[in-house]
């Protein structure tokens, strides 16, 4: 790449040599995500991955894509860029695990106003951290420098994941029935949803978001909000191997009211005990500061529950122990009853 330089392109605001420098800085992080299936190196025109179908009789590929959203504004304001990549991976892999799919490989896309190699490295390091947490390999990506389209200090970040599940083991809620229980997996915070409302409530563009806040245990608003999204892949895969999992919901934008019903079949309802939900302090502060009703809070945020899982009542204690052994702090928040609303918070 030593001979690849365009003075005319540089005059237009695109420094292709900075792109090469960024890739060099990223390589050590990308290498840390490599798994046995990876068949290509970074720098080619397409990422290649060999499927290992051992013990998978009817392989079904499952794909997901998502971005970080306006949470990125907090990264800009805090000048902290090494965690939003985890969010990007989490939003994708947490979705496909709901169907029982094991993540295989990940691709990222970063569009920016100015390619600052060290900043790109920090972003991709976060992506790689998320890939390691989920067992996926980062096999490719794209960095697009777009001067005049994005401000120099801003960027957007999106990702794509492909996973695999045996067709006979897809989690599809067909066996869900009255009497099953709903288990909650705690979130790490706001995760990556509802930030348009969060930014408005805290007026993050003008307020002091870097000073300690007593209600947040001495952490600042900015630090708390930038806490990366929790990745649930490995604990859930262990659970699926041991008990019959009847439904999984990733609690994202739309909160409880939108996401839990997505895993509930017609004629049944997830009856959730609001008092059992371990609401994190950040959500209490959002509600108090913004004067937001409880209904709107549960219809916007995860409220401290990043994922809900439905299992048989007789498997509940075993499921809880498996998840604890995998590093989670699960607890029961409700049960499945007959009903047409699919969710009821009491």
């Amino acid at each position: 790449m030593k001979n690849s330089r365009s003075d005319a392109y540089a005059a237009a605001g695109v420094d292709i040599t900075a792109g090469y420098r960024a890739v060099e800085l990223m390589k050590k992080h990308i290498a840390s995500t490599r798994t046995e299936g990876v068949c290509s190196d970074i720098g080619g025109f397409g990422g290649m991955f060999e499927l290992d179908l051992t013990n998978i009789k009817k392989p079904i590929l499952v794909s997901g894509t998502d971005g970080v959203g306006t949470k990125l504004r907090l990264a800009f304001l805090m000048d902290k860029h090494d965690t939003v990549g985890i969010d990007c991976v989490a939003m994708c892999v947490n979705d496909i695990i709901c169907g029982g799919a094991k993540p295989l490989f990940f691709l990222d896309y970063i569009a920016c106003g100015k390619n600052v190699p060290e900043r790109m490295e920090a972003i991709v390091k976060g992506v790689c951290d998320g890939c390691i947490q989920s067992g996926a390999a980062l096999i490719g990506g794209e960095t697009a420098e777009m001067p005049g389209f994005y401000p120099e200090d801003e960027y957007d970040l999106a990702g794509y994941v492909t996973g695999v599940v045996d067709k006979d083991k897809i989690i599809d809620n067909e066996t869900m029935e009255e009497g099953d229980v709903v288990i909650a997996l705690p979130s790490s915070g706001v995760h990556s949803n509802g930030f348009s409302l969060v930014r408005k409530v805290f007026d993050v563009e003008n307020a002091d978001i870097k000073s300690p806040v007593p209600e947040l245990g001495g952490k600042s608003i900015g630090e708390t909000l930038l806490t990366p999204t929790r990745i649930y892949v490995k604990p859930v895969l262990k659970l699926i191997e041991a008990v019959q999992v009847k439904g999984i919901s990733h609690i994202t934008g739309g909160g409880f009211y939108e996401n839990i019903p997505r895993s509930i079949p017609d004629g049944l309802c997830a009856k959730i005990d609001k008092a059992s939900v371990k609401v994190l302090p950040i959500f209490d502060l959002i509600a108090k500061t913004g004067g937001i009703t409880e209904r709107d809070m549960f219809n916007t945020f995860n409220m401290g529950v990043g994922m809900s899982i439905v299992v048989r009542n007789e498997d509940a204690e075993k499921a809880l122990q498996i998840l604890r052994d995998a590093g989670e702090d699960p607890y029961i928040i409700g049960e499945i009853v007959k009903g047409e609303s699919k969710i009821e918070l009491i």
Side-chain angles (χ1 to χ4, degrees):
M1 299 299 182
K2 291 181 179 180
N3 294 324
S4 180
R5 174 177 171 77
S6 170
D7 291 334
Y9 212 3
V14 178
D15 184 354
I16 57 177
T17 60
Y20 302 144
R21 168 65 176 157
V23 171
E24 287 302 314
L25 292 175
M26 296 172 189
K27 281 185 176 179
K28 62 180 179 293
H29 304 296
I30 296 170
S32 69
T33 75
R34 192 178 182 93
T35 62
E36 291 185 3
V38 178
C39 299
S40 58
D41 291 323
I42 296 299
F45 288 98
M48 299 182 184
F49 193 91
E50 181 180 8
L51 279 175
D52 179 1
L53 300 180
T54 304
N55 298 322
I56 302 179
K57 296 180 181 179
K58 302 176 183 178
I60 299 293
L61 296 180
V62 184
S63 298
T65 186
D66 209 338
V68 182
T70 63
K71 182 175 184 173
L72 290 176
R73 285 299 302 165
L74 274 298
F76 304 157
L77 293 169
M78 297 290 289
D79 193 23
K80 182 174 174 57
H81 310 282
D82 61 348
T83 59
V84 289
I86 300 175
D87 291 296
C88 187
V89 175
M91 298 308 295
C92 297
V93 298
N94 284 345
D95 275 355
I96 70 167
I97 193 63
C98 291
K102 176 184 177 181
L104 297 174
F105 59 83
F106 193 83
L107 303 171
D108 63 5
Y109 175 80
I110 308 169
C112 59
K114 181 178 176 60
N115 189 333
V116 180
E118 292 74 18
R119 185 167 62 207
M120 292 300 110
E121 179 191 12
I123 297 168
V124 173
K125 178 186 180 300
V127 172
C128 293
D129 289 343
C131 285
I132 292 170
Q133 290 180 35
S134 60
L138 180 60
I139 64 170
E142 175 68 14
T143 300
E145 190 172 15
M146 303 167 67
F149 194 85
Y150 289 96
E152 285 195 358
D153 293 331
E154 296 186 6
Y155 56 85
D156 199 5
L157 173 62
Y160 164 89
V161 69
T162 290
V164 66
V165 62
D166 196 315
K167 186 175 183 178
D168 294 333
K169 297 180 180 179
I170 293 174
I171 298 171
D172 57 12
N173 77 27
E174 288 186 357
T175 61
M176 198 176 296
E177 59 187 346
E178 184 178 18
D180 291 339
V181 300
V182 184
I183 295 174
L185 295 185
S187 69
S188 56
V190 182
H191 283 184
S192 299
N193 303 102
F195 272 84
S196 292
L197 178 55
V198 168
R199 291 184 300 111
K200 179 182 178 182
V201 166
F202 291 127
D203 189 20
V204 297
E205 303 291 339
N206 302 300
D208 176 10
I209 62 170
K210 297 183 179 181
S211 295
V213 176
E215 294 95 325
L216 300 177
K219 290 186 177 182
S220 69
I221 289 174
E223 181 184 4
T224 301
L225 293 176
L226 271 182
T227 302
T229 304
R230 192 168 180 83
I231 292 176
Y232 301 100
V233 171
K234 292 180 180 180
V236 171
L237 285 175
K238 289 182 178 179
L239 181 67
I240 292 171
E241 292 175 358
V243 303
Q244 182 184 15
V245 175
K246 299 189 174 188
I248 305 176
S249 287
H250 181 201
I251 313 300
T252 56
F256 280 50
Y257 285 101
E258 180 177 323
N259 291 289
I260 292 180
R262 294 168 67 179
S263 66
I264 308 298
D266 292 341
L268 293 178
C269 171
K271 188 176 181 181
I272 306 298
D273 177 12
K274 287 187 293 186
S276 69
V277 176
K278 299 177 182 179
V279 178
L280 297 174
I282 184 62
F283 297 110
D284 291 329
L285 187 60
I286 291 170
K288 178 182 176 181
T289 305
I292 303 172
T293 65
E294 182 182 68
R295 175 63 166 74
D296 281 354
M297 289 295 296
F298 275 93
N299 204 169
T300 306
F301 302 107
N302 67 61
M303 300 300 286
V305 178
M307 186 163 278
S308 66
I309 301 174
V310 177
V311 300
R312 298 187 305 170
N313 182 57
E314 52 265 46
D315 288 335
E317 286 304 318
K318 181 179 180 181
L320 290 170
Q321 190 57 55
I322 290 169
L323 291 166
R324 290 189 193 107
D325 292 343
E328 294 295 326
D329 186 21
Y331 59 98
I332 294 173
I333 57 171
E335 63 178 335
I336 301 300
V337 299
K338 291 182 178 180
E340 299 302 321
S341 63
K342 292 200 175 185
I343 187 169
E344 180 182 359
L345 272 66
I346 60 171

